[in-house]
Amino acid sequence: MNAFNPRSSTRMVRCCRRISFAFALLAVVFAISCTLAFAQEGSSGAGSDEDGGASTTTTASDSSATNNADSPPPKVKRPEPSGNEADWGSFYDPNKVFCGKYDCYKILGWDHETWGNNPPSLKDITKSYRNLSRKWHPDKNKAKGAREKFVHIAKAYEILTDKEKRADYDHFRDRPDEYFIKYGSSVLWSYAPKSDASIIIIIFLMAGSVFTYYAQKNKWQTIANHLVKAAVEDLSPREGGSTESIEIREKALVILAEKKKEEEEAKLANGSNGTEKKKKGPKMTGRERKEK
């Protein structure tokens, strides 16, 4: 009899395991591929449905657009022109080439954002200008500010009735950078008037001289007051005096002594003159004076 070999049985078990693992892996791959195939078919079907719906919508929109093009655009009701400057809008026009800071259209009663495809014609602008001029002409309206409002109304009429000016006005509405390149701007900077440099130099020299004079005067006055105080109080150098204050005191004492001596001599002279007058004789009577 043949003996049982355990090594051969172990090999067979391993081979069976490998084969079963390979079959399981193939089954998983097959299932994944089938799932992806079904998913692609579903997405292609949905896309075809969306294309059909989009084509239907496009056709409907094209037909509605054709009908709208054939029909005239609706007319927007224009509000009455306002004489209030707060309703005149705003515009970037610092150099006042057009209507200044106001909107030319709004001055005459139009709004460029609401008229759509029907901008005001020359006839409409003239009609609006005549209605406003009847109301705000200074010969007919004596109210305060009527003249200034009529000037703005006339300027708006001038701009909008000139084809070139109106085209420029419409072009620069949303292009302030191009307006700045063509007309410049007085808002960003302005040149100062020319002045004579010699006048400025003279003014600076005079101001400097006056300042120096008062500064030196104040300094000299402080020193002089200190010297006078030291000379009057006879302060020694240790006490805040100086050689100048000592000399000033000595000179002052000499002058004071000379003045006292002169006063005493004057008193003595006056006293001797009085005694001499008294020794001349008795006083004259009134009769003697009349005889003379």
Side-chain angles (χ1 to χ4, degrees):
M1 292 181 63
N2 293 330
F4 177 75
N5 191 359
R7 293 183 178 179
S8 60
S9 63
T10 304
R11 291 177 181 175
M12 292 178 63
V13 171
R14 290 179 179 176
C15 290
C16 292
R17 288 180 179 177
R18 290 176 182 176
I19 293 169
S20 61
F21 180 75
F23 276 111
L25 184 62
L26 289 174
V28 171
V29 171
F30 179 75
I32 293 172
S33 61
C34 291
T35 304
L36 293 175
F38 284 118
Q40 289 180 356
E41 289 179 358
S43 62
S44 62
S48 62
D49 294 338
E50 290 178 358
D51 292 339
S55 61
T56 305
T57 306
T58 304
T59 305
S61 62
D62 292 339
S63 61
S64 62
T66 305
N67 294 330
N68 291 332
D70 295 336
S71 62
K75 292 185 178 180
V76 179
K77 186 177 180 181
R78 182 175 66 89
E80 291 295 328
S82 175
N84 188 5
E85 296 178 356
D87 298 332
W88 286 357
S90 61
F91 190 83
Y92 180 77
D93 185 19
N95 289 330
K96 298 181 179 180
V97 178
F98 303 107
C99 296
K101 63 180 180 179
Y102 299 114
D103 189 346
C104 294
Y105 287 107
K106 287 192 175 182
I107 292 175
L108 297 180
W110 279 279
D111 189 354
H112 71 284
E113 295 179 356
T114 58
W115 66 52
N117 295 325
N118 290 325
S121 62
L122 180 61
K123 183 178 179 181
D124 297 332
I125 292 171
T126 304
K127 183 179 179 180
S128 179
Y129 168 72
R130 288 177 179 175
N131 293 332
L132 290 171
S133 62
R134 292 191 193 100
K135 182 178 180 181
W136 296 105
H137 197 280
D139 293 339
K140 298 179 181 180
N141 192 337
K142 302 297 182 181
K144 185 179 179 180
R147 180 179 295 276
E148 290 76 8
K149 290 181 180 179
F150 179 75
V151 170
H152 288 296
I153 293 168
K155 184 67 175 179
Y157 175 73
E158 177 187 352
I159 296 298
L160 298 181
T161 53
D162 189 305
K163 292 183 179 180
E164 294 182 359
K165 292 181 180 180
R166 183 175 179 179
D168 288 343
Y169 181 76
D170 293 336
H171 178 75
F172 293 129
R173 174 176 293 279
D174 299 324
R175 299 174 179 86
D177 51 344
E178 296 185 14
Y179 176 96
F180 174 74
I181 294 172
K182 185 173 182 179
Y183 298 109
S185 176
S186 61
V187 176
L188 301 179
W189 67 78
S190 61
Y191 294 99
K194 294 182 178 179
S195 57
D196 192 356
S198 60
I199 297 175
I200 297 175
I201 293 172
I202 292 171
I203 291 172
F204 274 108
L205 290 176
M206 291 177 64
S209 300
V210 171
F211 175 78
T212 305
Y213 169 76
Y214 280 104
Q216 293 295 333
K217 182 181 178 182
N218 188 20
K219 184 178 180 181
W220 177 85
Q221 190 67 42
T222 303
I223 296 171
N225 293 335
H226 179 72
L227 290 174
V228 170
K229 181 180 180 181
V232 170
E233 297 179 359
D234 193 14
L235 299 177
S236 62
R238 293 181 179 179
E239 296 174 347
S242 61
T243 55
E244 290 84 358
S245 64
I246 295 171
E247 292 177 358
I248 291 171
R249 181 177 178 80
E250 292 176 353
K251 291 179 180 180
L253 292 174
V254 171
I255 294 171
L256 184 61
E258 291 178 354
K259 285 185 177 182
K260 287 183 178 181
K261 186 177 180 180
E262 291 177 358
E263 289 178 357
E264 290 176 356
E265 291 177 354
K267 287 181 180 180
L268 293 173
N270 292 331
S272 60
N273 292 332
T275 54
E276 290 178 356
K277 288 179 181 180
K278 289 179 181 179
K279 292 178 180 179
K280 284 183 181 180
K283 292 182 179 181
M284 297 176 64
T285 61
R287 187 176 179 180
E288 289 176 352
R289 289 177 184 174
K290 287 180 181 180
E291 290 177 355
K292 284 185 177 182

